[in-house]
Amino acid sequence: MKNRTDLAVESFESVNKTYIDGVKVREENGITTVTVLNDKGADAIGKPVGKYITCCVPSFVSDTDIFDGRLEKISEILGSLLPDNIESVLVAGIGNLDITADALGPKTNNYVLATRHIIGQKELFGDFFNVSSISTGVLGDTGIESAEIVGGGVSTIHPACGIAVYALAASSAERLGTTVQLSDTGISPGSGVGNHRYEISENTLGVPVVSIGIPTVVSTEIISGKETGEPMFVTPREIDRVIDLGAKLIGMSINVCLQKNISQQDLFSLVG
């Protein structure tokens, strides 16, 4: 049965080995880091060379307090993946706002503090890090690939780095709404559900791309244990809550990571 997942840790687990040549795995304090070191490792688990960090969080279904240490943890992980001494970032929310399970990216942009338009007016607005954001929509609505929209933004405003936010597929129902994955490899939208779109990465955009996502769907084949040929994907009954609180956590984590001169509470008052 094909392992339909965007999570590198699940791809590693699916091989049923404790050691894979070209892949390094480290677990500490609820954080699992999978580092794909070379092409051999990439072929073994089906993920590009790079670093994938999975952070376990309390379920968004029953927990609403993001000011419990999660912001610091995820913003610290994000900071470790961003290039050093960058001066600007473009945040791209990838997904379909009309489909709840796919709306994580565009909803996250509601909580990202965009500041590019006020940079240079420090006497009026204070000292902000340069952030811009964009929601790509989906090909069926726009006729434009998400990668093309992000690429147009990159070629116009020339950010030093991109951050792509999107919903993930998992191969375990227990990871839905309880896991955040960050990676320095960019993304291939739809890859976890077998709907491969153009890659959004340094290879295609010319700038480093860090991706952040939360698993929101799991294949019915995984749940039933039977191959159906045309698998469907299901979401938690409380998917609205998972998306809303997940978007808040990711958006605020981006703010905390980048806007270091502003407190968490003040940041939230600006976007929440």
Side-chain angles (χ1 to χ4, degrees), residues 87-90 113-117 119 128-132 157 258-259:
E87 296 182 351
S88 60
V89 163
L90 171 63
L113 182 62
T115 60
R116 178 175 176 266
H117 56 299
I119 294 298
F128 287 101
F129 184 87
N130 188 335
V131 179
S132 49
I157 66 175
L258 299 178
Q259 308 296 348

PDB file of all heavy atoms in Angstrom, residues 87-90 113-117 119 128-132 157 258-259:
ATOM      1  N   GLU A  87      17.084  39.914   5.621  1.00  0.00           N
ATOM      2  CA  GLU A  87      16.477  41.212   5.887  1.00  0.00           C
ATOM      3  C   GLU A  87      15.016  41.295   5.462  1.00  0.00           C
ATOM      4  O   GLU A  87      14.350  42.285   5.766  1.00  0.00           O
ATOM      5  CB  GLU A  87      17.278  42.305   5.170  1.00  0.00           C
ATOM      6  CG  GLU A  87      18.716  42.430   5.689  1.00  0.00           C
ATOM      7  CD  GLU A  87      19.475  43.547   4.999  1.00  0.00           C
ATOM      8  OE1 GLU A  87      18.939  44.100   4.015  1.00  0.00           O
ATOM      9  OE2 GLU A  87      20.589  43.865   5.444  1.00  0.00           O
ATOM     10  N   SER A  88      14.504  40.277   4.761  1.00  0.00           N
ATOM     11  CA  SER A  88      13.112  40.306   4.323  1.00  0.00           C
ATOM     12  C   SER A  88      12.617  38.891   4.067  1.00  0.00           C
ATOM     13  O   SER A  88      13.404  37.997   3.717  1.00  0.00           O
ATOM     14  CB  SER A  88      12.960  41.149   3.050  1.00  0.00           C
ATOM     15  OG  SER A  88      13.745  40.605   2.004  1.00  0.00           O
ATOM     16  N   VAL A  89      11.294  38.698   4.234  1.00  0.00           N
ATOM     17  CA  VAL A  89      10.668  37.389   4.054  1.00  0.00           C
ATOM     18  C   VAL A  89       9.328  37.566   3.351  1.00  0.00           C
ATOM     19  O   VAL A  89       8.587  38.519   3.639  1.00  0.00           O
ATOM     20  CB  VAL A  89      10.452  36.678   5.405  1.00  0.00           C
ATOM     21  CG1 VAL A  89       9.455  35.538   5.282  1.00  0.00           C
ATOM     22  CG2 VAL A  89      11.773  36.140   5.941  1.00  0.00           C
ATOM     23  N   LEU A  90       9.026  36.656   2.424  1.00  0.00           N
ATOM     24  CA  LEU A  90       7.700  36.569   1.811  1.00  0.00           C
ATOM     25  C   LEU A  90       7.018  35.314   2.349  1.00  0.00           C
ATOM     26  O   LEU A  90       7.532  34.206   2.183  1.00  0.00           O
ATOM     27  CB  LEU A  90       7.803  36.496   0.283  1.00  0.00           C
ATOM     28  CG  LEU A  90       6.502  36.184  -0.461  1.00  0.00           C
ATOM     29  CD1 LEU A  90       5.465  37.288  -0.253  1.00  0.00           C
ATOM     30  CD2 LEU A  90       6.766  35.974  -1.952  1.00  0.00           C
ATOM     31  N   LEU A 113       1.861  39.330  10.472  1.00  0.00           N
ATOM     32  CA  LEU A 113       1.994  40.779  10.478  1.00  0.00           C
ATOM     33  C   LEU A 113       2.823  41.224   9.273  1.00  0.00           C
ATOM     34  O   LEU A 113       4.046  41.061   9.246  1.00  0.00           O
ATOM     35  CB  LEU A 113       2.650  41.248  11.775  1.00  0.00           C
ATOM     36  CG  LEU A 113       2.819  42.765  11.932  1.00  0.00           C
ATOM     37  CD1 LEU A 113       1.451  43.459  11.923  1.00  0.00           C
ATOM     38  CD2 LEU A 113       3.578  43.082  13.220  1.00  0.00           C
ATOM     39  N   ALA A 114       2.157  41.774   8.253  1.00  0.00           N
ATOM     40  CA  ALA A 114       2.842  42.277   7.054  1.00  0.00           C
ATOM     41  C   ALA A 114       3.337  43.695   7.314  1.00  0.00           C
ATOM     42  O   ALA A 114       2.580  44.561   7.764  1.00  0.00           O
ATOM     43  CB  ALA A 114       1.899  42.245   5.858  1.00  0.00           C
ATOM     44  N   THR A 115       4.599  43.949   7.029  1.00  0.00           N
ATOM     45  CA  THR A 115       5.215  45.228   7.389  1.00  0.00           C
ATOM     46  C   THR A 115       5.966  45.898   6.245  1.00  0.00           C
ATOM     47  O   THR A 115       6.483  47.009   6.421  1.00  0.00           O
ATOM     48  CB  THR A 115       6.210  45.021   8.552  1.00  0.00           C
ATOM     49  OG1 THR A 115       7.225  44.096   8.124  1.00  0.00           O
ATOM     50  CG2 THR A 115       5.516  44.486   9.789  1.00  0.00           C
ATOM     51  N   ARG A 116       6.046  45.250   5.091  1.00  0.00           N
ATOM     52  CA  ARG A 116       6.870  45.784   4.003  1.00  0.00           C
ATOM     53  C   ARG A 116       6.474  47.214   3.637  1.00  0.00           C
ATOM     54  O   ARG A 116       7.331  48.041   3.304  1.00  0.00           O
ATOM     55  CB  ARG A 116       6.755  44.878   2.782  1.00  0.00           C
ATOM     56  CG  ARG A 116       7.544  45.357   1.568  1.00  0.00           C
ATOM     57  CD  ARG A 116       7.493  44.343   0.433  1.00  0.00           C
ATOM     58  NE  ARG A 116       8.157  44.839  -0.758  1.00  0.00           N
ATOM     59  CZ  ARG A 116       7.549  45.464  -1.759  1.00  0.00           C
ATOM     60  NH1 ARG A 116       6.218  45.662  -1.705  1.00  0.00           N
ATOM     61  NH2 ARG A 116       8.231  45.893  -2.808  1.00  0.00           N
ATOM     62  N   HIS A 117       5.181  47.510   3.717  1.00  0.00           N
ATOM     63  CA  HIS A 117       4.689  48.817   3.302  1.00  0.00           C
ATOM     64  C   HIS A 117       5.025  49.935   4.288  1.00  0.00           C
ATOM     65  O   HIS A 117       4.858  51.117   3.963  1.00  0.00           O
ATOM     66  CB  HIS A 117       3.170  48.756   3.107  1.00  0.00           C
ATOM     67  CG  HIS A 117       2.416  48.281   4.313  1.00  0.00           C
ATOM     68  ND1 HIS A 117       2.610  47.034   4.857  1.00  0.00           N
ATOM     69  CD2 HIS A 117       1.470  48.888   5.081  1.00  0.00           C
ATOM     70  CE1 HIS A 117       1.820  46.887   5.899  1.00  0.00           C
ATOM     71  NE2 HIS A 117       1.130  48.004   6.065  1.00  0.00           N
ATOM     72  N   ILE A 119       8.086  49.757   6.193  1.00  0.00           N
ATOM     73  CA  ILE A 119       9.531  49.786   6.414  1.00  0.00           C
ATOM     74  C   ILE A 119      10.071  51.131   5.885  1.00  0.00           C
ATOM     75  O   ILE A 119       9.713  51.596   4.818  1.00  0.00           O
ATOM     76  CB  ILE A 119      10.213  48.618   5.679  1.00  0.00           C
ATOM     77  CG1 ILE A 119       9.765  47.281   6.301  1.00  0.00           C
ATOM     78  CG2 ILE A 119      11.724  48.741   5.741  1.00  0.00           C
ATOM     79  CD1 ILE A 119      10.129  47.108   7.746  1.00  0.00           C
ATOM     80  N   PHE A 128      10.373  47.458  12.539  1.00  0.00           N
ATOM     81  CA  PHE A 128       9.814  46.169  12.174  1.00  0.00           C
ATOM     82  C   PHE A 128      10.732  45.423  11.212  1.00  0.00           C
ATOM     83  O   PHE A 128      11.450  46.035  10.413  1.00  0.00           O
ATOM     84  CB  PHE A 128       8.445  46.332  11.495  1.00  0.00           C
ATOM     85  CG  PHE A 128       7.332  46.724  12.425  1.00  0.00           C
ATOM     86  CD1 PHE A 128       6.889  48.043  12.487  1.00  0.00           C
ATOM     87  CD2 PHE A 128       6.727  45.779  13.232  1.00  0.00           C
ATOM     88  CE1 PHE A 128       5.862  48.403  13.330  1.00  0.00           C
ATOM     89  CE2 PHE A 128       5.702  46.138  14.082  1.00  0.00           C
ATOM     90  CZ  PHE A 128       5.262  47.443  14.135  1.00  0.00           C
ATOM     91  N   PHE A 129      10.652  44.111  11.262  1.00  0.00           N
ATOM     92  CA  PHE A 129      11.297  43.276  10.254  1.00  0.00           C
ATOM     93  C   PHE A 129      10.438  43.296   8.993  1.00  0.00           C
ATOM     94  O   PHE A 129       9.209  43.312   9.056  1.00  0.00           O
ATOM     95  CB  PHE A 129      11.450  41.840  10.766  1.00  0.00           C
ATOM     96  CG  PHE A 129      12.188  40.933   9.824  1.00  0.00           C
ATOM     97  CD1 PHE A 129      13.567  40.837   9.864  1.00  0.00           C
ATOM     98  CD2 PHE A 129      11.496  40.167   8.890  1.00  0.00           C
ATOM     99  CE1 PHE A 129      14.252  39.999   8.984  1.00  0.00           C
ATOM    100  CE2 PHE A 129      12.164  39.337   8.010  1.00  0.00           C
ATOM    101  CZ  PHE A 129      13.544  39.250   8.058  1.00  0.00           C
ATOM    102  N   ASN A 130      11.062  43.245   7.829  1.00  0.00           N
ATOM    103  CA  ASN A 130      10.374  43.368   6.541  1.00  0.00           C
ATOM    104  C   ASN A 130       9.672  42.058   6.165  1.00  0.00           C
ATOM    105  O   ASN A 130      10.325  41.072   5.799  1.00  0.00           O
ATOM    106  CB  ASN A 130      11.396  43.746   5.464  1.00  0.00           C
ATOM    107  CG  ASN A 130      10.747  44.075   4.139  1.00  0.00           C
ATOM    108  OD1 ASN A 130       9.651  43.636   3.826  1.00  0.00           O
ATOM    109  ND2 ASN A 130      11.445  44.869   3.334  1.00  0.00           N
ATOM    110  N   VAL A 131       8.330  42.065   6.248  1.00  0.00           N
ATOM    111  CA  VAL A 131       7.523  40.877   5.940  1.00  0.00           C
ATOM    112  C   VAL A 131       6.419  41.246   4.964  1.00  0.00           C
ATOM    113  O   VAL A 131       5.734  42.258   5.136  1.00  0.00           O
ATOM    114  CB  VAL A 131       6.878  40.280   7.217  1.00  0.00           C
ATOM    115  CG1 VAL A 131       6.020  39.060   6.860  1.00  0.00           C
ATOM    116  CG2 VAL A 131       7.938  39.898   8.238  1.00  0.00           C
ATOM    117  N   SER A 132       6.260  40.437   3.941  1.00  0.00           N
ATOM    118  CA  SER A 132       5.107  40.553   3.047  1.00  0.00           C
ATOM    119  C   SER A 132       4.444  39.187   2.972  1.00  0.00           C
ATOM    120  O   SER A 132       5.063  38.166   3.274  1.00  0.00           O
ATOM    121  CB  SER A 132       5.539  41.019   1.655  1.00  0.00           C
ATOM    122  OG  SER A 132       6.626  40.250   1.179  1.00  0.00           O
ATOM    123  N   ILE A 157       9.375  41.587  -5.582  1.00  0.00           N
ATOM    124  CA  ILE A 157       9.796  42.249  -4.341  1.00  0.00           C
ATOM    125  C   ILE A 157      11.146  41.757  -3.833  1.00  0.00           C
ATOM    126  O   ILE A 157      11.693  42.322  -2.886  1.00  0.00           O
ATOM    127  CB  ILE A 157       8.731  42.093  -3.238  1.00  0.00           C
ATOM    128  CG1 ILE A 157       8.583  40.620  -2.824  1.00  0.00           C
ATOM    129  CG2 ILE A 157       7.380  42.629  -3.708  1.00  0.00           C
ATOM    130  CD1 ILE A 157       7.640  40.419  -1.650  1.00  0.00           C
ATOM    131  N   LEU A 258      10.230  36.560  13.710  1.00  0.00           N
ATOM    132  CA  LEU A 258      10.779  37.649  12.901  1.00  0.00           C
ATOM    133  C   LEU A 258      10.757  39.009  13.598  1.00  0.00           C
ATOM    134  O   LEU A 258      11.685  39.809  13.447  1.00  0.00           O
ATOM    135  CB  LEU A 258      10.010  37.748  11.580  1.00  0.00           C
ATOM    136  CG  LEU A 258      10.057  36.503  10.676  1.00  0.00           C
ATOM    137  CD1 LEU A 258       9.210  36.723   9.430  1.00  0.00           C
ATOM    138  CD2 LEU A 258      11.495  36.164  10.296  1.00  0.00           C
ATOM    139  N   GLN A 259       9.686  39.282  14.358  1.00  0.00           N
ATOM    140  CA  GLN A 259       9.533  40.601  14.991  1.00  0.00           C
ATOM    141  C   GLN A 259      10.047  40.534  16.435  1.00  0.00           C
ATOM    142  O   GLN A 259       9.278  40.526  17.392  1.00  0.00           O
ATOM    143  CB  GLN A 259       8.063  41.037  14.953  1.00  0.00           C
ATOM    144  CG  GLN A 259       7.423  40.976  13.586  1.00  0.00           C
ATOM    145  CD  GLN A 259       8.058  41.933  12.567  1.00  0.00           C
ATOM    146  OE1 GLN A 259       8.852  42.810  12.916  1.00  0.00           O
ATOM    147  NE2 GLN A 259       7.686  41.781  11.311  1.00  0.00           N
TER     148      GLN A 259
END
